[in-house]
Amino acid sequence: MGILYDDAVIIRQSEIEGEPSIITVNCTDKTGLGCDLCRIILFFGLTVVRIDVSTDGKWCYLVFWVIGKQSTRWGLLKKRLLDACPSCLLASDIQYYGFQLQPPRPPDVFLLKFCCHDRRGLLHDVTKVLCELELTIKRVKVSTTPDEKVMDLFFITDTRELLHTKKRQEDTYEHLKVVLGDAMISCGIEMVGPETTACSQAPSFLPDEFTEEMFNMDSPDECKIGSVAFRTPSITMDNLLSPAHTLVQIVCQDHKGLLYDIMRTLKDYNIQISYGRLTTQENTECELDLFIMQADGSKIVDSSKQNALCSRLRMELSRPLRVAVVSRGPDTELLVANPVELSGKGRPLVFYDITLALKMLNSVIFSAEIGRYMIGDREWEVYRVLLDEGDGLSISREEIEQAVWKMLMSWQ
């Protein structure tokens, strides 16, 4: 049976507003664990200001210093972090590796379908409710009818794995009813099979100006969007300092999800981190030292592998997402794309941030879609939002692009 350790995840909340809380994770190690933990921390809206990582390849010890909010649900965060740990049991190697070889069961997909009267900010309010309920949006199709009604189709999965129960469905309905009020006309939730999910796949067409300009960036020196500029990160590798590890040193501009972007890149390359430390300087610049090795326990000495990893890290930190505002006939379309992990997971809260930025701009959304596309050798999650210009667009396309970027990056 093993011994269950209650201290696999310890959270020490800060008693002073603005001071970091400390999250300690002490558990069995696995390649990509840091990425999985950072993804959860990002989903809960926390900002990582410092991190220490150490592991011997079997057991790891991670400490995150994070800035939370008054609304942070610390108890739920601890539960989700515990769920991500490979094992909270002290077991034999045979028991542990047998557990690891069992592939995870794909989550059930549900269709949330509702019709309501339209209003500004509606889509963000619904997205916020789903995030609070831990319902992950996999795909969405939103359309507005001529009589100003909205038909929303959300393909969702449930982190709590309870959406098949009547109680969980009724709870979801009640939360939506609080937000929508008398505007709600109908609402239903049903489990759907793979054939229904396949029918919801996005069409293959993307605007040429979006694919050519936004995805043809092999080695950007500097990227600028209106007044929003990305500074080129400094990435160096050293094989002399450590006899067993390759040292990667990164100095870059800070942004929301920075640590997740680094960790997911290393996870996709099957790179293991033995020791790491991140510090932030005045909330604008980050310095990160990582002692890494390949899956076979060797250093990265091949120059082509070094260059490939440095190039990918530089790209992910220069442009972690893609944003463009383009013409779609007489209308204006906002497109946002983020790379999908090889595990199939997308970046959390992207749709939340997009809809919040548009709500703050007082923009009207006519339709919205989320789909996945293979572009080059990578899979991308693409968010397409068609803006309603019925009364004329009161703000410029550049202003829309800047506002969405700043919200996604958490820049003022």
Side-chain angles (χ1 to χ4, degrees):
M1 289 293 293
I3 302 172
L4 183 63
Y5 283 93
D6 293 331
D7 60 351
V9 175
I10 297 175
I11 299 179
R12 192 169 72 213
Q13 298 180 39
S14 171
E15 298 179 356
I16 303 174
E17 186 176 356
E19 291 293 317
S21 299
I22 301 175
I23 302 172
T24 303
V25 180
N26 185 19
C27 68
T28 308
D29 196 13
K30 70 169 184 176
T31 301
L33 175 61
C35 172
D36 298 341
L37 297 176
C38 289
R39 190 179 190 279
I40 294 169
I41 291 172
L42 177 59
F43 176 81
F44 277 80
L46 304 178
T47 301
V48 180
V49 295
R50 181 182 166 191
I51 181 176
D52 281 344
V53 179
S54 60
T55 177
D56 60 2
K58 293 183 178 180
W59 203 265
C60 65
Y61 185 75
L62 304 96
V63 184
F64 299 88
W65 285 260
V66 300
I67 303 296
K69 305 175 183 177
Q70 289 185 346
S71 59
T72 300
R73 295 175 290 178
W74 296 104
L76 185 59
L77 171 62
K78 177 175 180 177
K79 186 177 188 318
R80 293 295 165 248
L81 291 173
L82 281 170
D83 291 343
C85 295
S87 176
C88 291
L89 296 174
L90 183 60
S92 68
D93 289 344
I94 295 177
Q95 290 173 315
Y96 168 66
Y97 286 111
F99 167 79
Q100 281 289 89
L101 290 174
Q102 296 177 8
R105 185 181 68 86
D108 294 324
V109 179
F110 294 81
L111 172 61
L112 167 63
K113 178 170 62 175
F114 65 88
C115 179
C116 64
H117 298 287
D118 196 15
R119 62 170 171 78
R120 294 179 188 268
L122 172 70
L123 189 54
H124 174 72
D125 295 341
V126 172
T127 302
K128 182 179 179 180
V129 169
L130 297 181
C131 288
E132 291 174 347
L133 291 172
E134 293 191 290
L135 298 173
T136 303
I137 301 172
K138 307 300 290 185
R139 307 202 184 281
V140 65
K141 187 171 181 63
V142 177
S143 56
T144 306
T145 64
D147 57 351
E148 296 187 349
K149 293 179 182 177
V150 176
M151 176 60 71
D152 290 355
L153 303 176
F154 288 88
F155 291 87
I156 57 179
T157 59
D158 186 8
T159 302
R160 303 176 193 176
E161 299 183 345
L162 294 172
L163 199 54
H164 62 283
T165 65
K166 183 178 180 181
K167 183 178 184 303
R168 178 69 160 151
Q169 292 185 10
E170 290 177 346
D171 185 50
T172 301
Y173 174 82
E174 291 301 323
H175 278 79
L176 289 171
K177 183 67 175 178
V178 169
V179 171
L180 299 176
D182 295 335
M184 180 183 287
I185 299 174
S186 63
C187 179
I189 300 174
E190 60 181 288
M191 185 183 297
V192 295
E195 65 283 351
T196 305
T197 307
C199 292
S200 73
Q201 298 289 327
S204 59
F205 171 77
L206 280 175
D208 291 338
E209 59 267 38
F210 182 69
T211 55
E212 291 174 4
E213 294 180 13
M214 306 307 292
F215 295 97
N216 186 23
M217 296 180 62
D218 294 329
S219 182
D221 293 327
E222 183 179 81
C223 174
K224 188 172 183 180
I225 304 170
S227 61
V228 181
F230 294 79
R231 295 192 296 272
T232 305
S234 169
I235 302 175
T236 58
M237 283 192 178
D238 182 274
N239 277 313
L240 300 177
L241 192 61
S242 170
H245 301 90
T246 297
L247 170 63
V248 180
Q249 294 180 302
I250 301 173
V251 180
C252 63
Q253 185 177 6
D254 194 14
H255 65 258
K256 180 165 65 176
L258 167 71
L259 196 58
Y260 167 72
D261 290 325
I262 294 172
M263 293 297 185
R264 67 174 168 80
T265 302
L266 296 178
K267 180 181 179 181
D268 285 352
Y269 273 74
N270 203 23
I271 297 294
Q272 298 177 353
I273 301 173
S274 296
Y275 176 79
R277 172 170 292 181
L278 174 142
T279 57
T280 57
Q281 305 293 331
E282 298 180 355
N283 296 323
T284 59
E285 188 174 80
C286 290
E287 297 180 359
L288 186 65
D289 294 333
L290 296 172
F291 288 84
I292 63 175
M293 59 184 180
Q294 300 181 87
D296 61 2
S298 64
K299 301 163 71 170
I300 306 175
V301 295
D302 188 306
S303 59
S304 62
K305 291 182 178 180
Q306 289 185 13
N307 292 335
L309 181 57
C310 283
S311 177
R312 177 58 64 87
L313 284 169
R314 191 173 293 111
M315 171 61 65
E316 299 300 342
L317 299 180
S318 297
R319 186 69 72 86
L321 300 101
R322 309 290 193 267
V323 178
V325 179
V326 300
S327 296
R328 184 171 166 183
D331 300 316
T332 297
E333 185 175 32
L334 167 68
L335 297 105
V336 178
N338 64 264
V340 177
E341 297 176 31
L342 290 181
S343 65
K345 296 179 180 178
R347 189 187 191 90
L349 297 182
V350 175
F351 197 55
Y352 178 94
D353 287 340
I354 294 170
T355 54
L356 177 57
L358 294 176
K359 181 179 180 179
M360 293 177 66
L361 290 173
N362 205 29
S363 296
V364 178
I365 297 174
F366 180 75
S367 65
E369 295 181 7
I370 302 176
R372 292 194 173 187
Y373 301 77
M374 287 300 300
I375 301 174
D377 60 347
R378 304 184 68 184
E379 185 179 23
W380 294 79
E381 199 162 49
V382 180
Y383 304 77
R384 308 182 65 172
V385 181
L386 190 64
L387 303 178
D388 188 348
E389 298 183 79
D391 299 326
L393 201 60
S394 59
I395 53 178
S396 69
R397 295 180 179 182
E398 183 179 275
E399 288 175 312
I400 296 173
E401 199 167 335
Q402 290 182 38
V404 172
W405 257 122
K406 290 180 178 180
M407 184 64 69
L408 290 167
M409 297 293 98
S410 194
W411 290 340
Q412 300 298 325

